[in-house]
Amino acid sequence: VLRVAVVGATGAVGREVCRLLDERVPEVGALVPFASAASAGRDLAAEWGLRTPTAPVGAVDGDAIAGADVAVLCAGIGVSLALGDDLAASGCLVVDNSSAFRMRDDVPLVVPEVNPEAIATRPASGIVANPNCSTIQLVRVLDPLRRAAGLEAVDVATYQAASGGGLRGLAEVQAATADLLAGGDGGGGRGGRFGQPLALNLVPQIGALDGDGMAHEEHKLRREPRKILALPELRVTATAVRVPVLHCHSEAVTLRLGRPVPREGLEAVLAATSGLCVHRSSDRPPFPMPRFVARCDDGRARVHVGRVRVDAEDPRTVQCWIVADNLWVGAALNATGILAHAVGRGWLG
Amino acid sequence: VLRVAVVGATGAVGREVCRLLDERVPEVGALVPFASAASAGRDLAAEWGLRTPTAPVGAVDGDAIAGADVAVLCAGIGVSLALGDDLAASGCLVVDNSSAFRMRDDVPLVVPEVNPEAIATRPASGIVANPNCSTIQLVRVLDPLRRAAGLEAVDVATYQAASGGGLRGLAEVQAATADLLAGGDGGGGRGGRFGQPLALNLVPQIGALDGDGMAHEEHKLRREPRKILALPELRVTATAVRVPVLHCHSEAVTLRLGRPVPREGLEAVLAATSGLCVHRSSDRPPFPMPRFVARCDDGRARVHVGRVRVDAEDPRTVQCWIVADNLWVGAALNATGILAHAVGRGWLG
C-alpha cells in the first residue's frame, strides 16, 4: 500500500493536495495527514468526504512522517528546512512545496508539463521541489512559446489572490471588505496576513525585500523560470502585487521572443499545448478572469491565457494575460503531478 | 467676472472639478454647470457647499455653454467631439478631459508640471487637452527620471480603480462585492459599467480592442507620453487592468534609462520634484497603497511613487510603483492646473 504523508494537511494547499490525491491518484492507498498540534485528531476523511483510507491528523513529527513512502510538505519553509533532508535520508520521497530547496543543484525543480526530464530518474537527494505558484503558471505559457520562437526576456507584473495567504488570509480579506462596505474601518491598522490591509486595496510587496529593494516573490519569479526552462541567461523583471481577489493569480506579461511569429501562430502554439486554455482574440471576452476561473473545477485545472498580442511596432515583443488557480495549478495539482510521475516510474516500489 | 462652464458637472470628474475650482482658483467668479437633462435644475452650490456663485445645472447646450469664458468638458468623448470646436470658435477656451482632441497637432496635451511650455501661448485651436488619468501619473514620474538619466523604454501594467468608471462604476462594484460576500451572486451576469463584473475580480481590458488586440487605454498609454514628453521614439508597452479598488490608479513600471543611476540618486531626483511624494526604500512600508492615498486629501493631490529599484543584473533597468488619485491628479487637478495657468497668463482677459 502506497502511504502518502501530507504535512500541513489542514492548510489551504494541504487540503487541496489531500482532495486531489484522493480523487485523481488511485495508487495512493493511505493518506497520513499531519498539521499543528491544534488540529491533531481531526478526521479529514469525514470532514472532506475522502474515500482513501485516511489516518487521523497527527501533530508534525519527523519519525512518524518518515513511515510514509512519500511526504508532500505544505507547511512552510521552516518545517521543510527542519525535516526535508532527514525524511529523504530515511528513504521517504519528499515533494516540497516551499522555497527551501528549489535552487539547490541536487534538487530538481519540476513542472511536469514543462521539464519532466528533470526527474527522468529518482533524484539522489530524495527531494523534488514544487515551484512557486506564480512561477508555475508563467512557465507553463513561456515554455511552448520559447520552443516555437525562442525567448530572450520577460517582464511580469502579478495580480496575486488572497488565497496565497492561506485560509487565514482569505478570511481576513473577506471580513475586512464586508466591514469597509458596511461603513466600518475594515479592522483598522496595518499588519495582518499580508503585512498591510488588502481589502479594497493593493499590497505591492510579497515576501521580504532585499538590499536592492527586490521582494522575495520577485526573486522567485526570476530564478525559478531560469532553472525550470534551463535558460540561465533569461532576462526577467517582475513586480509582485497582492490584489483583493479571493482565488487565482493573474499575470500581465511582456515577452521578447527570439523571432517574430504572428498572433494567430502564437495562439495556435498555445492551443496545442496540453493543460492550457487559450482565450483567443476571436473569443468574447478574449481573456480569462480570476473569479470565473475559480468557480469552475475544470477551469481550475488549467492555465488560462488570453489577450495574446504582438506589438505592431516591434513584432518580437509579445504580451499576454495569464490566470490560474494558485492552489491547484500553482501548488496542489503540480505536486500531485510530480507524485503521479514518481508512481508511474516505479520509484515507490 | 470669469465664468467657467463645467460640462458633465454631476459626474465623478465634474464634481471634483467644481470643488477644486471653488476651493483653489479664486479668480473663478461664476461656475456654470451643465449635465444631462435628468440633472437640470440641481443646485450644486447647496449640495456640495460651494462658495463660488453657481448657476443651477443646465442641460448640455452649445449656445449656453459658449457664454462662458472657459469650458471644462468632462462629459465624455461624444459631447467633446460634438461641441469642442464650435465652443473654441466662439472664443471660449476649451479644456477637454476626453480623448477627442489629445492627438491633434493643433491641440496641446498638457500636464502643467511636465510640459507647461506647450501652452506658453494660447493655442490657436482654442483647445487644451487634459491627458488620460493613467498617463498623467506616469509622466509625472517619467519626466524627472528622463531629465536625470534619459529614457528609452517603458513597460507598464496598470491596476485601475473603479472610480474610473464614474459614480455608477463605484456604486456597482460596492453593491456587487457586498452581495458576493453575503453569499449572493454579485448581481449575476456579464455587462455593467466595466463590461465584465469587477467585484472580487480583475478585468484586463479597458476600452475597445483594435485589430492587433491592443486596448484603447493601452494606446493612450503609448501615444500620450510620447507627445507630452516630446519623445516620439519612446518605446512603450502597456497592459491596462481594472481592479476591485475604489479610488486611485496604481502602476507597476519597468523602465530602461539612458544611463545608470543608483537607487538613492533616483529617489533623490524624485523627491526634489514638485508634487511627487516618494516612499523611499528606508520608509516602512516603502510603497504607497491606493486605499490610504485615497483617504487623505493632501495625499490625493500628489503622485506617489515607491519601490524604486535598480536591477542588480542590469543597472539601466529601473522599476517603481506609482499611485495617484485618478479623479484628482489624473483629471480634475490637472484640468484646474491648466485653467490656473491660463488665468496666470492673462488669456482670459
Side-chain angles (χ1 to χ4, degrees):
Chain A
V1 171
L2 181 67
R3 293 169 54 83
V4 178
V6 179
V7 181
T10 58
V13 171
R15 181 172 70 178
E16 302 302 326
V17 168
C18 290
R19 287 172 166 168
L20 288 168
L21 291 174
D22 180 62
E23 288 174 14
R24 302 193 179 194
V25 190
E27 294 85 352
V28 175
L31 282 173
V32 193
F34 294 90
S36 61
S39 294
R42 280 173 58 181
D43 179 355
L44 301 184
E47 288 184 34
W48 299 339
L50 308 176
R51 286 167 301 183
T52 309
T54 302
V57 173
V60 172
D61 172 81
D63 291 336
I65 299 167
D69 301 291
V70 181
V72 183
L73 305 186
C74 316
I77 187 170
V79 170
S80 292
L81 286 170
L83 300 182
D85 280 305
D86 286 348
L87 287 170
S90 75
C92 183
L93 179 72
V94 173
V95 178
D96 185 43
N97 265 306
S98 82
S99 63
F101 308 115
R102 288 178 190 152
M103 301 314 296
R104 235 169 69 176
D105 284 341
D106 63 343
V107 173
L109 181 63
V110 177
V111 177
E113 294 85 351
V114 173
N115 64 336
E117 67 278 6
I119 45 174
T121 58
R122 179 171 172 147
S125 65
I127 304 175
V128 180
N130 203 50
N132 190 41
C133 46
S134 54
T135 299
I136 292 173
Q137 66 187 74
L138 179 63
V139 299
R140 293 269 301 269
V141 172
L142 294 184
D143 184 54
L145 295 177
R146 74 89 175 249
R147 289 177 195 275
L151 181 64
E152 296 179 359
V154 180
D155 188 35
V156 55
T158 72
Y159 301 69
Q160 297 185 226
S163 66
L167 299 173
R168 186 158 71 86
L170 279 169
E172 178 185 308
V173 73
Q174 289 175 292
T177 305
D179 185 57
L180 280 176
L181 291 172
D185 69 354
R190 310 292 168 104
R193 190 66 187 86
F194 304 104
Q196 303 290 338
L198 182 59
L200 302 176
N201 199 22
L202 303 167
V203 181
Q205 178 186 341
I206 302 180
L209 302 182
D210 71 8
D212 293 320
M214 193 167 174
H216 193 51
E217 186 85 358
E218 294 154 1
H219 273 292
K220 295 175 187 173
L221 278 162
R222 165 171 284 182
R223 293 174 182 153
E224 296 180 12
R226 288 175 174 171
K227 179 168 175 175
I228 297 163
L229 297 171
L231 292 174
E233 307 293 321
L234 183 67
R235 297 201 306 274
V236 183
T237 44
T239 300
V241 180
R242 190 76 66 185
V243 299
V245 161
L246 299 181
H247 295 281
C248 297
H249 289 353
S250 303
E251 298 176 338
V253 182
T254 301
L255 306 174
R256 182 84 178 150
L257 298 181
R259 63 179 181 83
V261 176
R263 177 165 52 154
E264 295 69 23
L266 296 172
E267 289 182 342
V269 162
L270 295 169
T273 303
S274 175
L276 295 191
C277 177
V278 182
H279 300 240
R280 289 177 188 259
S281 44
S282 53
D283 292 334
R284 292 290 167 272
F287 49 80
M289 291 177 282
R291 199 171 109 199
F292 299 109
V293 167
R295 275 193 187 164
C296 157
D297 249 27
D298 182 45
R300 291 179 68 193
R302 292 183 291 175
V303 176
H304 294 255
V305 56
R307 291 217 60 210
V308 176
R309 54 205 196 275
V310 173
D311 193 331
E313 296 182 356
D314 174 7
R316 289 205 290 144
T317 296
V318 167
Q319 298 187 278
C320 64
W321 172 256
I322 302 170
V323 179
D325 189 299
N326 48 305
L327 297 184
W328 272 36
V329 168
L333 266 175
N334 200 76
T336 304
I338 292 169
L339 192 141
H341 173 101
V343 168
R345 294 284 170 143
W347 296 357
L348 305 172
Chain B
V1 171
L2 181 66
R3 293 167 55 82
V4 178
V6 179
V7 181
T10 58
V13 171
R15 181 172 70 179
E16 301 303 325
V17 168
C18 291
R19 287 173 167 167
L20 288 167
L21 291 174
D22 180 62
E23 288 174 15
R24 302 191 178 196
V25 190
E27 294 85 353
V28 175
L31 283 172
V32 193
F34 293 91
S36 62
S39 293
R42 279 173 59 181
D43 179 354
L44 301 184
E47 288 184 34
W48 299 339
L50 308 177
R51 286 167 302 182
T52 308
T54 301
V57 173
V60 172
D61 172 81
D63 290 337
I65 298 166
D69 301 292
V70 181
V72 183
L73 304 186
C74 315
I77 187 170
V79 169
S80 292
L81 286 171
L83 300 182
D85 280 305
D86 286 347
L87 288 170
S90 75
C92 183
L93 179 72
V94 173
V95 178
D96 185 43
N97 264 306
S98 82
S99 63
F101 308 114
R102 288 178 189 152
M103 301 314 297
R104 234 170 69 177
D105 284 341
D106 63 343
V107 173
L109 181 64
V110 177
V111 177
E113 294 84 351
V114 174
N115 64 337
E117 67 278 7
I119 44 173
T121 59
R122 179 170 173 149
S125 66
I127 304 175
V128 179
N130 203 50
N132 189 42
C133 46
S134 54
T135 300
I136 292 173
Q137 67 187 73
L138 179 62
V139 299
R140 293 271 300 270
V141 172
L142 295 184
D143 183 55
L145 295 177
R146 74 90 175 248
R147 289 176 196 276
L151 181 64
E152 295 179 0
V154 180
D155 188 35
V156 55
T158 72
Y159 301 68
Q160 297 186 226
S163 66
L167 299 173
R168 187 158 71 87
L170 280 168
E172 178 184 309
V173 74
Q174 289 175 292
T177 305
D179 184 56
L180 280 177
L181 291 172
D185 68 355
R190 310 293 168 104
R193 190 66 187 85
F194 304 104
Q196 303 289 338
L198 182 60
L200 302 175
N201 198 22
L202 303 167
V203 181
Q205 178 186 340
I206 303 180
L209 302 182
D210 72 7
D212 292 320
M214 192 167 175
H216 193 51
E217 186 85 359
E218 293 155 1
H219 273 292
K220 295 174 187 173
L221 278 161
R222 165 171 284 182
R223 293 174 183 152
E224 296 180 13
R226 288 175 174 170
K227 179 168 176 175
I228 297 163
L229 298 171
L231 292 174
E233 308 292 321
L234 183 66
R235 296 201 306 274
V236 183
T237 44
T239 300
V241 180
R242 191 75 66 184
V243 300
V245 161
L246 299 181
H247 295 281
C248 297
H249 289 353
S250 303
E251 298 176 338
V253 182
T254 301
L255 305 174
R256 182 85 178 149
L257 298 181
R259 64 180 182 81
V261 176
R263 177 164 53 154
E264 295 69 23
L266 296 172
E267 290 183 342
V269 163
L270 295 170
T273 302
S274 175
L276 295 192
C277 177
V278 182
H279 300 241
R280 289 178 188 258
S281 43
S282 54
D283 292 334
R284 291 291 167 270
F287 49 79
M289 292 176 283
R291 198 171 108 198
F292 298 109
V293 167
R295 275 193 186 163
C296 158
D297 249 27
D298 183 44
R300 291 180 68 193
R302 291 183 293 174
V303 176
H304 295 254
V305 56
R307 292 218 59 210
V308 176
R309 54 206 196 275
V310 173
D311 193 332
E313 296 183 356
D314 174 7
R316 289 205 289 145
T317 296
V318 167
Q319 298 186 278
C320 64
W321 171 257
I322 303 171
V323 180
D325 189 300
N326 48 305
L327 297 184
W328 273 35
V329 168
L333 266 175
N334 200 76
T336 304
I338 291 169
L339 192 143
H341 173 100
V343 169
R345 294 283 171 143
W347 296 357
L348 305 172

